[in-house]
Amino acid sequence: TLNHAFIHLERVNVIYGCNERCTYCIVPTTRGVEQSRPVESIVDEVSELVNQGFKEVTLLGQNIDAYGRDMIPKRKFSDLLKIVGSVPGLERLRFVTSHPRYMSLGVVDAVADTPTACEYFHIPFQSGSNSILKAMGRGHTREKFLQIVDRVRQRLPDAAITADVIVGFPGETEQDFLDTLDIMEKVKFDTVNTAAYSPRPNTPAADWDNQLSEEVKQDRLHRINELVLQHATERRARMMDRVVEVLVEERNVKVPTQVMGRTTHGYIVYFDGDIDELRGELVNVKIDRCEKFYLAGKRTDEPVQ
């Protein structure tokens, strides 16, 4: 048996490499072409992890929605989700990273229809401007992204949606940036990883002559980060007084008498408890405090709401 701190959650690669050619990204040259793992091999690995005591598994892929398109016959990621999600004994299933170009509405439906699948989607949209998305080589539009979000909100109204965004990409105008803020306002993400564009060696965009000044990039980063905080706070505030299921991971390093775990939404929750007793356990917690990036509460026997 495994004897380490993370006896409860593990990551399993389902597809290696990336066939995309985003103009800011070094991954395709470092990771090679996409190669999907056979379904049977993934199911065997997840089953073995469950037998060892793991309760949560995250399926990994640089571009996970491309899963199966290199296979003969082709397979679909939505089918893989349902199959892995029904492995006996598995409590929670997550996956990253989704790409709006390939993410089918069927993936949202698969999460909704698979009880073990967490109501959590990480879907980097990178920019809210179609002209910048085109310059980035992303292969999708803002409309396609919003269509996916609509399906999530329709099938799983309580789901968390997180994203990655780059501001200050070469040629980004103030209007392009405002289009990104518009997506932020329309979606209200639970968390967004933001970055000001920085040129990577051996990537096309690094050599373009329409680079923005550091001053403009930092100004836009500051403005978008204010929205990130506002929305993160709003989204967590709705959890007040709710009972949530928490998978306990670690001791709270700042308060050793508390433990830290996550909800199915991926929210961090702190509550009083003994880590040696609770690590890897699923515990119901009633939330009595909501902060920007975490929740706190007390153990309860009440059912999850």
Side-chain angles (χ1 to χ4, degrees):
T1 59
L2 293 180
N3 180 21
H4 60 77
F6 291 96
I7 188 72
H8 44 275
L9 41 98
E10 187 56 286
R11 296 167 174 82
V12 173
N13 274 298
V14 301
I15 179 170
Y16 300 97
C18 185
N19 291 1
E20 298 306 291
R21 289 288 179 270
C22 298
T23 53
Y24 52 81
C25 184
I26 200 76
V27 161
T29 51
T30 55
R31 300 269 174 93
V33 296
E34 285 164 4
Q35 193 178 356
S36 302
R37 285 179 64 192
V39 174
E40 302 71 31
S41 132
I42 295 164
V43 168
D44 286 348
E45 184 176 346
V46 172
S47 300
E48 176 56 28
L49 289 168
V50 169
N51 290 339
Q52 291 174 1
F54 288 90
K55 292 186 176 167
E56 177 177 310
V57 167
T58 299
L59 303 180
L60 292 183
Q62 197 71 42
N63 175 9
I64 205 160
D65 300 291
Y67 176 82
R69 66 175 175 170
D70 58 321
M71 293 169 138
I72 301 169
K74 283 187 163 61
R75 307 292 297 247
K76 290 199 303 203
F77 178 59
S78 53
D79 293 336
L80 178 72
L81 264 181
K82 292 177 198 163
I83 293 166
V84 176
S86 59
V87 167
L90 182 68
E91 298 274 0
R92 290 183 176 185
L93 181 64
R94 299 186 191 274
F95 60 93
V96 288
T97 296
S98 299
H99 192 312
R101 179 178 187 173
Y102 300 101
M103 186 173 176
S104 71
L105 300 180
V107 168
V108 180
D109 293 337
V111 172
D113 297 336
T114 305
T116 50
C118 291
E119 61 231 287
Y120 169 84
F121 297 87
H122 182 64
I123 321 169
F125 68 99
Q126 304 300 7
S127 171
S129 156
N130 283 340
S131 61
I132 293 297
L133 287 168
K134 190 172 183 184
M136 287 176 164
R138 290 288 289 168
H140 67 87
T141 59
R142 61 180 278 130
E143 289 77 17
K144 168 77 199 287
F145 177 75
L146 290 170
Q147 187 187 11
I148 295 166
V149 171
D150 283 346
R151 179 65 69 99
V152 173
R153 296 287 186 236
Q154 179 192 334
R155 292 295 319 266
L156 294 154
D158 200 44
I161 304 177
T162 63
D164 300 340
V165 174
I166 297 169
V167 299
F169 190 76
E172 182 185 69
T173 64
E174 176 66 14
Q175 186 54 54
D176 291 327
F177 175 66
L178 292 176
D179 288 346
T180 296
L181 294 189
D182 178 64
I183 290 233
M184 299 282 292
E185 291 285 12
K186 279 188 165 71
V187 178
K188 291 197 163 47
F189 295 93
D190 296 81
T191 308
V192 181
N193 304 315
T194 58
Y197 172 76
S198 63
R200 297 278 182 264
N202 305 316
T203 59
D207 300 327
W208 296 348
D209 56 12
N210 55 352
Q211 307 289 331
L212 273 57
S213 71
E214 270 313 304
E215 192 182 6
V216 169
K217 289 196 276 195
Q218 290 307 315
D219 171 65
R220 289 178 184 171
L221 186 62
H222 175 71
R223 285 154 68 193
I224 198 169
N225 281 345
E226 286 189 332
L227 263 191
V228 172
L229 285 178
Q230 182 189 321
H231 294 160
T233 308
E234 275 177 40
R235 291 289 293 163
R236 282 158 190 74
R238 79 187 203 285
M239 307 305 285
M240 193 63 162
D241 294 326
R242 271 174 60 176
V243 176
V244 294
E245 182 192 68
V246 176
L247 178 57
V248 178
E249 296 179 21
E250 282 299 334
R251 195 188 301 276
N252 178 355
V253 287
K254 292 183 180 165
V255 187
T257 56
Q258 288 189 340
V259 296
M260 180 279 279
R262 285 171 213 271
T263 68
T264 50
H265 313 83
Y267 297 149
I268 287 173
V269 179
Y270 296 110
F271 64 96
D272 289 337
D274 176 1
I275 189 62
D276 297 320
E277 174 204 343
L278 295 176
R279 180 180 278 124
E281 295 300 318
L282 290 159
V283 179
N284 286 5
V285 176
K286 185 158 190 172
I287 301 303
D288 58 22
R289 190 165 152 220
C290 302
E291 298 293 340
K292 292 187 191 76
F293 292 116
Y294 71 87
L295 305 169
K298 293 181 178 63
R299 287 182 73 171
T300 179
D301 296 326
E302 293 176 49
V304 171
Q305 294 161 336

